[in-house]
Every structure is written in structure tokens, then in C-alpha cells.
Amino acid sequence: MERIKLAIEKAKAGANNVPRLEPVFVPPPVEGLPAGVRGEIAMPAVRDVNAPRTEIVDLNDIHLERHRIIAHQKAHPVSWAFDLLRTQILQKMDEHGWRTVAITSPTVESGKTLVSINLAISIAQQTHRTALLVDFDLRRPRVAASLGLRREVSLNEVLAGEAELSQALVNPGMERLVILPTLRPEPKAAEVLASRRVNNLVTELRNRYADRTVIIDLPPVLVADDVLALLPHVDCVLLVVASGGSTEKEIEESMVRLKGANLVGVVLNKDDSPAQSGYGYY
């Protein structure tokens, strides 16, 4: 709770707090399991995300940088912030055995999709993990547009029963990273997210591969009840707050709505202070 209070204060005042880097806890492998499989999860196999049935699409670097997708560029002056976020998030997730993290914000234009994509890329850069990014913002999907993905089959078709999950998955030319994009807004988004189909899908995505971390981009928590509908099916939540973009009342209301969730942290986005380079984590 103290970290949340600090985040609220900084969102209001723009104070300067440099986050502390902590080591990642990775349980040792169990004898007899393949290399890369964590000991606490006795699953028999780890899939290569570049398997033939996962389409590989190379992205345009200029488009990515224009949309501030930079975690894959280690020379970029901001990429360290996402690696730091990755380290602290994964440490907490490993401590609790969590495999799915939902990312939301109080209101629109907070940068939650940008954080979701960059975090997923950063996680996939660890050789003992894979990352799956799912666009579950069914009201305003932005992952595909931000990455420059042009697809004919997406989560929309999977939810409608018109396509298999494997047909919608795409590897964006980055090793160990898979994207499940949504191309069009879904009518009755909250009802869809609360459905048995989505519950089963999240369970499948979480449990199929032992080394996978699932990152879920959700709508803003104050927009509707979409986030509340999916919360029972995810392990933890990351809240993205734009510096100066959300009021104290909006942040406090978001905290009330997320009260029953495992809040893994708060990211302060769009912070102009030089020491933070635009990002802070609490």
C-alpha cells in the first residue's frame, strides 16, 4: 500500500523517485526436466514459439519506434526502464507462482498498451522464458496497430468460434514472443470477457507451456466493468498511471475496484523528469 501512496503522490506532484533493481528469483530446474523448465511446474514440454503453425511476421522498426515500442533496442536510452520493470514484476510473479499479469489504467491515454507491448518484449528476451501478449481490450484494441500487424484472423474470430487459436497467433519476428491480437471492437465486451469461452481460453493460455508468461492488455478500469469481469481469471494486475493524466479521485477509485486483485505494482508513465526517462515503478 505504501508504494501505491507514493504513486498517487507522484502522479499529482511529479516527484522524482528512482526505482530499485532487485534480483529475479528463478527456481532451480528439477532433475529430469528439460533445460529451461522451472522446477515448481512439472510440465512435460516447452514449445518453440517459432513452430511452423505460428506465423512469423517481421515488423517495421521505423513504425515501432514511432509508436514507442523500443524494448528490443538495447541501445535505446529508455529500454532499461522496461528491463527494470520486467525484473521486478517477474520476481513477484515467481514468488507466488503467478503466470498471468493483466495491465490496466484508470482512464484512456495512460499508455497501458505501450507498457504491455514493451514488457512482453522484454520478458521474451530472457532465454528461459517465453511471453504471450493478448489484446483483451475488446472496446479499443490497439496492440495490432501499435505493432503494425496486418492480420485476417485474430482473437475476434477465435471468440466467435470461426477460427482456431493457432490461426490467430503470430510471432512478430522476435524470438520467444507470441502475439494474440484483436482487430475490431467487440459488442458487449464485458459479457464476452465474463463468458465461459474466455475463461477457458485464459486457462489454456496460462497452462499450456511451463515457461510462458501471459501479458493481458485490458481496458481502463474506470471505463466499464470489463476489467472486473476478467479479474477472477488472472493472477495479478499492473496499474499504469499517466503523470498528470489521472486525478487523485480516479486513481483512488481504480484502487477500490481492484481491491480484490493481486496488485503487483503501479507504473507511472509519461513522467518528464530526466532521471525517470518517462517511467517509474512502485
Side-chain angles (χ1 to χ4, degrees):
M1 183 56 67
E2 183 62 25
R3 289 182 174 181
I4 305 306
K5 292 179 180 178
L6 289 173
I8 294 174
E9 292 171 3
K10 186 164 184 180
K12 293 188 294 180
N16 186 15
N17 254 324
V18 179
R20 179 169 61 92
L21 179 62
E22 299 176 353
V24 178
F25 172 74
V26 181
V30 173
E31 184 178 355
L33 288 181
V37 180
R38 287 174 287 159
E40 81 280 15
I41 304 172
M43 297 182 70
V46 177
R47 182 197 59 168
D48 178 2
V49 296
N50 292 327
R53 65 177 183 176
T54 300
E55 182 181 356
I56 302 174
V57 177
D58 290 327
L59 304 182
N60 184 290
D61 287 337
I62 296 176
H63 177 92
L64 293 179
E65 187 152 5
R66 185 182 301 125
H67 288 79
R68 302 183 71 187
I69 310 303
I70 47 80
H72 60 297
Q73 300 182 25
K74 289 306 178 184
H76 196 284
V78 179
S79 65
W80 69 270
F82 292 108
D83 289 346
L84 178 59
L85 177 64
R86 169 197 67 193
T87 298
Q88 301 208 34
I89 294 295
L90 289 180
Q91 180 187 21
K92 290 188 176 181
M93 293 182 70
D94 283 343
E95 286 174 355
H96 296 279
W98 295 337
R99 307 270 301 283
T100 56
V101 54
I103 300 182
T104 185
S105 59
T107 55
V108 298
E109 304 301 336
S110 295
K112 64 177 182 61
T113 298
L114 177 141
V115 172
S116 299
I117 296 173
N118 280 295
L119 178 61
I121 292 173
S122 184
I123 290 174
Q125 290 171 343
Q126 293 198 332
T127 57
H128 59 289
R129 299 181 189 268
T130 63
L132 170 63
L133 173 60
V134 185
D135 192 348
F136 261 132
D137 188 341
L138 301 185
R139 294 180 183 269
R140 195 171 178 242
R142 287 292 182 271
V143 169
S146 298
L147 289 171
L149 286 175
R150 297 183 178 181
R151 305 285 295 158
E152 293 183 1
V153 179
S154 70
L155 181 58
N156 299 104
E157 285 69 35
V158 175
L159 294 176
E162 299 171 356
E164 298 295 327
L165 175 61
S166 59
Q167 295 175 279
L169 295 172
V170 59
N171 176 276
M174 300 178 189
E175 193 175 2
R176 295 181 294 275
L177 177 62
V178 174
I179 308 293
L180 179 54
T182 298
L183 300 183
R184 300 173 303 279
E186 285 281 340
K188 299 182 178 180
E191 289 79 4
V192 173
L193 290 174
S195 67
R196 183 183 299 271
R197 182 185 292 271
V198 167
N199 182 14
N200 292 340
L201 176 60
V202 173
T203 301
E204 178 182 0
L205 295 175
R206 181 190 189 278
N207 294 336
R208 183 181 291 186
Y209 302 107
D211 63 347
R212 169 178 286 173
T213 301
V214 182
I215 302 94
I216 299 174
D217 186 19
L218 284 179
V221 68
L222 299 182
V223 167
D225 60 339
D226 300 30
V227 174
L228 300 182
L230 197 64
L231 279 184
H233 310 305
V234 298
D235 295 322
C236 58
V237 179
L238 180 68
L239 183 67
V240 178
V241 178
S243 179
S246 296
T247 66
E248 180 181 2
K249 183 178 180 180
E250 289 170 335
I251 296 173
E252 290 176 347
E253 177 61 25
S254 298
M255 298 302 301
V256 170
R257 297 195 185 189
L258 296 174
K259 185 177 181 180
N262 295 313
L263 186 63
V264 72
V266 174
V267 170
L268 182 66
N269 192 22
K270 302 183 180 180
D271 184 0
D272 293 330
S273 60
Q276 288 290 356
S277 299
Y279 304 92
Y281 170 75
Y282 302 88

